[in-house]
Amino acid sequence: MKPIGIFGGTFDPIHFGHLRLAEEMAEALALASVRFIPAGTPPHRTRPRTDAHLRLEMVRRAIAGNPLFQLDRREVGQPRLSYTVETLTDLRAEVGAAQPLCLLLGADAFLGLTSWHRWQDLFTLAHIAVAHRPGFPQSTWKDAMPEALRAELERRMAHPHDLTGCAAGLVVTRPITALDISATHIRDTLRAGRSPRYLLPNAVLDYIQSNHLYLPEN
Ligand code: ATP
Ligand code: MG
């Protein structure tokens, strides 16, 4: 059965680094679809400054027209913290025990995984696909990784075609087109009064400008 890709993030704002990750993972892992799940109030990082509904709308515009990409609104508008493990539990209940799910992560997110709520349970709910990211070279992953995570990685390391054979529990790592783009850099660029054009879709940049997001500091 083709895995369903699950791609969470703050997407503050969504950019071409995110979109290429989803596109290349969808191709390499033969995903049935990719569900983009913008975070409401993520517990493992500083609270995003941009309202969740605005971040959700930027994702909607960015993925419009791609039949494989879907927007999942479940974490937005929730009054409580959204933990990935809970979101995956809900998704698992919806799709059934046999459907492979695959959590898509950039290398930086994977390296921080042991700080996530009930991180070891993530492997019982989904596979994890880790995309390389500039600034986090694979040669240094093992040194940067907590011992417990390294042990899981070594135990669960698999090939893309293995993911169709079981519902959860494997880890794959993939090089993708290296795009050194981050939402932090885009926010800083806008706040400095400079243009982030060509780092993110025009439809997203138009929305940012019409809603006066990430305004230059006075
Ligand atoms: P911020 O700078 O605000 O942290 P970000 O660009 O890192 O934003 P996030 O919303 O934090 O974007 O990331 C969502 C997911 O996308 C994470 O798993 C992250 O590792 C991954 N990701 C983001 N940008 C890239 C990129 N350029 N290459 C590979 N993975 C990326
Ligand atoms: Mg980030």
Side-chain angles (χ1 to χ4, degrees):
M1 216 184 296
K2 283 185 169 186
I4 296 173
I6 308 297
F7 191 25
T10 42
F11 302 123
D12 188 18
I14 189 167
H15 54 67
F16 286 134
H18 298 127
L19 293 162
R20 283 305 303 179
L21 185 158
E23 180 76 2
E24 294 188 33
M25 285 296 192
E27 203 164 63
L29 310 180
L31 301 179
S33 59
V34 178
R35 293 201 194 184
F36 287 70
I37 312 187
T41 307
H44 58 276
R45 51 171 288 163
T46 49
R47 201 178 155 169
R49 273 165 288 187
T50 314
D51 181 89
H53 293 93
L54 298 171
R55 290 183 288 104
L56 185 120
E57 178 58 19
M58 290 190 275
V59 174
R60 193 188 68 74
R61 287 169 183 244
I63 68 177
N66 187 327
L68 237 45
F69 290 179
Q70 297 162 1
L71 179 61
D72 189 318
R73 298 175 159 82
R74 73 184 65 221
E75 288 190 7
V76 168
Q78 288 214 6
R80 56 177 188 84
L81 301 177
S82 346
Y83 292 109
T84 299
V85 69
E86 293 168 349
T87 299
L88 284 176
T89 302
D90 291 350
L91 283 163
R92 173 57 67 201
E94 286 171 27
V95 300
Q99 169 65 54
L101 292 175
C102 187
L103 184 65
L104 308 180
L105 297 176
D108 59 311
F110 182 71
L111 290 174
L113 202 72
T114 58
S115 68
W116 292 24
H117 183 54
R118 293 172 47 202
W119 70 275
Q120 271 146 326
D121 292 342
L122 296 169
F123 299 108
T124 67
L125 293 161
H127 301 305
I128 297 183
V130 186
H132 294 195
R133 182 171 190 178
F136 301 86
Q138 207 194 7
S139 53
T140 65
W141 283 6
K142 293 231 159 134
D143 303 327
M145 216 179 274
E147 178 54 39
L149 185 60
R150 180 162 53 234
E152 294 291 358
L153 177 63
E154 277 163 9
R155 202 152 66 84
R156 300 175 182 281
M157 192 63 114
H159 291 285
H161 56 256
D162 299 330
L163 302 188
T164 53
C166 55
L170 302 177
V171 178
V172 297
T173 65
R174 302 278 310 164
I176 58 168
T177 302
L179 294 173
D180 194 0
I181 303 174
S182 71
T184 300
H185 174 71
I186 291 173
R187 293 192 302 272
D188 290 348
T189 298
L190 284 159
R191 289 211 175 93
R194 298 195 310 268
S195 167
R197 191 142 69 117
Y198 310 128
L199 297 175
L200 73 178
N202 283 337
V204 176
L205 184 54
D206 289 348
Y207 186 79
I208 287 171
Q209 285 168 342
S210 5
N211 287 279
H212 314 291
L213 306 181
Y214 317 113
L215 285 179
E217 332 243 26
N218 298 311

